Each structure stands twice: as C-alpha cells, then as structure tokens.
Amino acid sequence: MATVISSVLQYGTRAILQPPVVRQSILRNDPERKNPSKFQCRSLRFRPMASGKEPYHNLRPAVKGHRPSLWADLSFSFDAQVQERCGEAIEALKEDVKSMVTAKDCKPFEKMILIDTIERLGVAYMFEQEIEEQIEQIYKFQAEDGSDKDLFTTALYFRLFRQHGYNAPSSVFDKFKDEDNKFKKNLIGEIDGLLSLCEASYVRYHGEDVLEEALVFTKHYLNQALPQLDSLLKEKVARALEQPIHRAIEVVEARYFISFYEKDESRNELLLRLAKLNFKLLQNLYRKELGDLTKWWNELRTELPYVRDRLVECYFWGVLIIFEPQYSFSRLATAKAIAMTMVLNDTYDSYGTLEELESFTEILHRWDIKEIDNMDIKEIDNILSENMKRVFHFLLRAYAEHEREASKQGRSYAASYAIEAMKRIARGYHKKAKWYKGQEVPTFEDHMSNGVIVGGTDAIFSATFMNLESVASEEAVDWLKREPTIVVAASLLIRHMNDICTYEREQRTGQFPTAVDCYKIENALSTEEALDKFIEFAEDKWKTINKELVASRTVPRHFTKLALNYARGTYVTYGRGADGFTEPEKGLESDIVALLVDPLII
C-alpha cells in the first residue's frame, strides 16, 4: 500500500523544510516486475566553466549536477498483437457498457455511482456524450428524485455536478451541521460519507467556508480512523488522503483504482474487464510513443549535455495533459514542446552567460517560421557562441518538424503561434537570468507577471492544439490569445509550487532574488511564513480553476480540460514537497512505474 504523504498543499511548510518522503508504488511487489535495481540513481558531476577575470554576469554558471535519467536502462517496446487483441475485445464490450449508462430503469443514485466508477476506471472517454446527457438530466431533475440524500450521496452528486460544469451550491451541506454550525459528530463513523465529502471539498470556490471546514473535518477523522479500517477501505482512504480524485491524473488514477476495484465484492465484472483491457492498450501504445520520442530526443540532445535528461518525465506530462488513445500525434507534440521548454529553461538557468543569452534571445526574436528557408544561418552562426548555436539549431529542427506536420493538416496558423509562444518563454527566462545575475532588481509583482509567461501553458497548449484533430486550430489559438483566466491560473499555480519546492535548492545555487525572496523582503516575513503564503496562493489558483470550469461552460471542454490537467500535473509533480520532475525519485517515479513499467495482468 502506498505510504501516506503529507502534501505540501495540505500540511504547510513542514513538508518543504524537511526532507521529502519518497513514495513507494503500490505496484512494486508485482510478481512480473523486472529488475528493480534499474531504478537506482547514479551521481553525476559537471566541471564548472568560468574565468575569475570575467564580470560576474558573464561567468558561466556552475552547471548543476542533475542525476541521469532513472529510465536509462529501460527499453519501451510495442506489441502490435496485444494492441489488436485489446482493441477488438474493447469494441465487443463497449455497447454493453453504453447500454448500462443510458438505461432508463436505473435510479439516479445508481446511475451516478456507475458514472463515477466508469470515470475512475479511466474509460469515460468512450462514453463521453452519453455520460454528459445523463449528468445533465439528473442535474435538472435531482429535486424530484424523491430522496433525502445522505452524506455520501450528497457529496457524490455535488462533486460530479461541479466536475461536469454545473454550478451545484455548497449550501447542500448545511443540513449536516449542528446548531453551533459545526459538522455533526454522528458523521464521524460514516467512513464512506466522510470520504465522499473529503473528495467533494476539492472542487470548492473562493469563500466557500463550509467546504474549507469539510476538508479539515474529514481529513482529521479519516486519519484517526485509518488504523482500524478493514484492508480494502483502508487502502481507499489512504489513497484519497494522498491523492484526491479531482487533482489526480486520470489514466494513472485508473491504474490504482483498478487494483482496488478488483478486490471489491460488489464489482461489475464487465466494467473491470473493460478497464483492464483499456489500460493494457494504453500502456502498450504509450510504450511505442515513448520509444519513438526517445529516438527523436537522442538525435537532438547529443550536443547539449548540460540539459536534464528527463524525457520520460516530459512524455509523462504529455500523457497527463491528453491521455486518450486517439490523440497520439497531439500527445507527442505536447511532450516535445515540454522537452523544448526544458532545454530553454536549462540553457537560461544553468548554462549561458548573460552575454550569450542576450544574443540568443535577440536571434530567437527574429525567428519567423515562414522564413526558415531564407534565414541567414551564417550570420546567426557568427553572432552565437558554439553552445548557443547548438541550442538554436535544436529548436530550429524541432519546430521545422512541427510546422511540416501541422501544414499537412492545414494547421500552420497554430505552428506560427507555437513559435511565438516559445519566443515569449525565452524572453521570460532571459528576464529571470538578468535578475539572478544582478542586472535588474525585481519585485514580487514582476515575478508574478513573468510567471504567467514562464509557466509554459501558452507554448505547450499551442503544440497540443496544433495536432488535436477534433479542434479547429484557429479557434483554439484565438482562445489562448485572450489569456483566459483558467490558463493564467494554471500557469501561476505551477510557478507557485515550483517556487515552493525549489526554494532551498535555489538558495544553495545562488539564485537570488527568487519570488519567495521578494515576497519575504517586501512583507518582512520569515522563510516559513513566506512559504505558507505561497501555499495559500496555490490553493487560491485551484479555486479559480474550479470556478472557471463552471463559468466557462460555453468554451469547448477540450480547451478548459487542458488547463485542469496541467494543474493536476502540477499537484502530482510538486505536491509531495519536492521538485518531482527534476528529482523523480521524490515525486513522479512511482506514477511513471505504474503507468509505463508495471504490467497489468488480465
């Protein structure tokens, strides 16, 4: 069973100021797991490159000794026969499940439990329209279903309504409070009800005190009851305390939920088989995609040894942003955009001198995707240092490939926007480099304004939209250009969480003044007080995202879902008190193992 981790968003700065606990995968004891020793990290050291006679801002930073990839010894293969067999079996089961979803003789309460189960098993994308129709019908007629709902049912309805964009009122929980406006003590023994209310509390808006109280109330009593619970319920509660549904990565959470559901005596064997076949199909597909991506990465990265080798983590983020099997091309483009963002980040943050970065930023600014063939490469090569040439040619080749693929689909509009978005990120990184090298002194507001840019959503989502067959690229890009509130909130969320979890490392490596430093100085706070405020900022962004998911119902769900998934990725990557991307053994490792490495036995 997974170790219960104190989430930084739930328990404050103690989760950051103490060494993070490495979460162990609940799947580690799988009898088919091969050679776990491959996941042990080796140390890697770099030699600093600098001359004592150079001005400080022209010194090359001492390159950080990032550990090599955890996955270097693994090969990810694809089995075409498995894919064909799973696909055929899934098609044979889908109609039966669809009939269950649309059945007219099913009570609303039973239908909502069915929908929740289907979603948690990771197969809801197969029945998207049918589920939306059922949720809409139940929402319209919920007052007429003739039931005085208990805590479990009330919280389940509330969470599903909000997750599907309906503005369910939090006042439905008032009936569970006593005359002192506290949650009734007789609820303490209702573990299923407490668990349902705990999950519902994560879809709260600003100012919903009843849900703030619900989170504290349920977590306290669930933690208290945990040691005495039966095995299966204990596993479910422990998982929920560590990873709430609303902040979970759908396909990863499906893998964990399948392991619970198959032990449930009330399970539906049809649903269980469909979920297992679907996960096996997805895992097989993901391994193929990652194998193709690795070839691309190895060809481009060979001359950039200072860049973190985190391709598997980049691909994992591509999956969490858009996991459905039909979006393979879009998922790969998203993973590549994340990898290119990582290359830029490491170049500006860990490698280039300020003089090199100024020339590089200027060259990027002049880059026009439509004029690639006419660019004066000799002029560029004369301006850039050898190392910066390599970075520029890396980006040039990668985005030229993007543009070719987008043009085949008539989506050059999105390719051009993706280039512009990457230029903005580069300018944002350049601004940070000038701050850290003492050329400019930022304020906290400067950090926040820049954080919207370097949060990465613009560049990453434009790559996703560029290859998302079901979305018109111009409509999607026009939406991004308007800087929608939900996208801004997702960008700032990742900045807040990154600022929290990298603060100590940045202090050790001399990156000053960070956003946390600026906030401390401007508000005369201690480090712990400042970090606590950043946790509040992060929770504030979650509430904004929750509200926008409902307020933006007229916006295509594909658009807002990307922002939600980006926020979910932030939670999973940083929510355990460490930078789980750079140091996956403290964050993403067990989820990546569950998704890509450990087989699922059917």
Side-chain angles (χ1 to χ4, degrees), residues 78-79 82-91 125-126 274-288 323-326 600 602:
F78 174 73
D79 190 326
V82 166
Q83 206 70 359
E84 183 178 355
R85 288 197 302 269
C86 286
E88 291 173 353
I90 286 169
E91 288 302 316
Y125 73 90
M126 301 178 189
L274 179 63
K276 285 187 171 184
L277 286 166
N278 176 65
F279 186 85
K280 195 171 186 69
L281 179 142
L282 289 174
Q283 187 180 69
N284 193 47
L285 175 62
Y286 295 160
R287 288 172 173 173
K288 178 182 184 299
F323 80 91
E324 295 89 343
Q326 66 268 33
L600 179 64
I602 299 180

Side-chain angles (χ1 to χ4, degrees), residues 6 11 56 123 158 160 177 199-200 211 254 298 327-328 335 350 368 387 425 448 458 489 505 529 574 586 588:
S6 298
Y11 296 108
Y56 173 69
V123 294
F158 176 81
L160 287 178
K177 297 185 122 184
E199 296 285 14
L211 292 177
N298 289 341
Y327 298 132
S328 179
S350 306
D368 186 340
N387 297 311
I425 283 188
M448 291 303 95
D458 222 19
R505 184 175 73 215
E529 288 170 332
Y574 297 102
K586 297 177 182 177
L588 293 181

Side-chain angles (χ1 to χ4, degrees), residues 423-438:
K423 290 179 186 178
R424 286 192 292 275
I425 283 188
R427 290 195 293 271
Y429 287 147
H430 186 214
K431 185 174 289 187
K432 283 182 66 179
K434 288 191 286 188
W435 293 343
Y436 291 160
K437 293 176 186 294

Side-chain angles (χ1 to χ4, degrees), residues 133 167 455:
E133 290 172 355
N167 193 25

Side-chain angles (χ1 to χ4, degrees), residues 83-214:
Q83 206 70 359
E84 183 178 355
R85 288 197 302 269
C86 286
E88 291 173 353
I90 286 169
E91 288 302 316
L93 296 173
K94 278 172 63 175
E95 285 304 314
D96 289 337
V97 176
K98 185 183 293 186
S99 297
M100 293 166 58
V101 174
T102 58
K104 295 182 178 179
D105 59 348
C106 185
K107 295 178 181 178
F109 165 67
E110 295 169 346
K111 186 69 65 73
M112 292 293 264
I113 290 179
L114 174 65
I115 289 171
D116 185 49
T117 303
I118 288 172
E119 291 184 346
R120 297 187 69 179
L121 286 170
V123 294
Y125 73 90
M126 301 178 189
F127 316 103
E128 198 170 280
Q129 182 178 341
E130 291 80 9
I131 287 174
E132 290 302 327
E133 290 172 355
Q134 295 300 312
I135 292 281
E136 181 181 15
Q137 186 176 357
I138 294 171
Y139 181 75
K140 286 180 178 178
F141 300 104
Q142 61 172 324
E144 301 174 15
D145 67 4
S147 65
D148 184 16
K149 301 182 188 68
D150 61 10
L151 180 60
F152 172 85
T153 309
T154 301
L156 175 66
Y157 274 50
F158 176 81
R159 174 172 60 81
L160 287 178
F161 286 150
R162 285 213 174 169
Q163 287 178 323
H164 285 264
Y166 293 95
N167 193 25
S170 57
S171 58
V172 295
F173 297 108
D174 290 345
K175 66 182 180 180
F176 300 107
K177 297 185 122 184
D178 58 25
E179 58 275 8
D180 296 322
N181 202 33
K182 304 289 185 184
F183 280 100
K184 296 175 181 177
K185 293 294 185 182
N186 62 3
L187 299 173
I188 294 171
E190 297 181 28
I191 301 301
D192 286 335
L194 290 178
L195 188 55
S196 185
L197 178 58
C198 184
E199 296 285 14
S201 70
Y202 285 97
V203 296
R204 63 191 180 276
Y205 304 155
H206 296 98
E208 291 192 312
D209 293 342
V210 65
L211 292 177
E212 299 284 0
E213 295 165 12

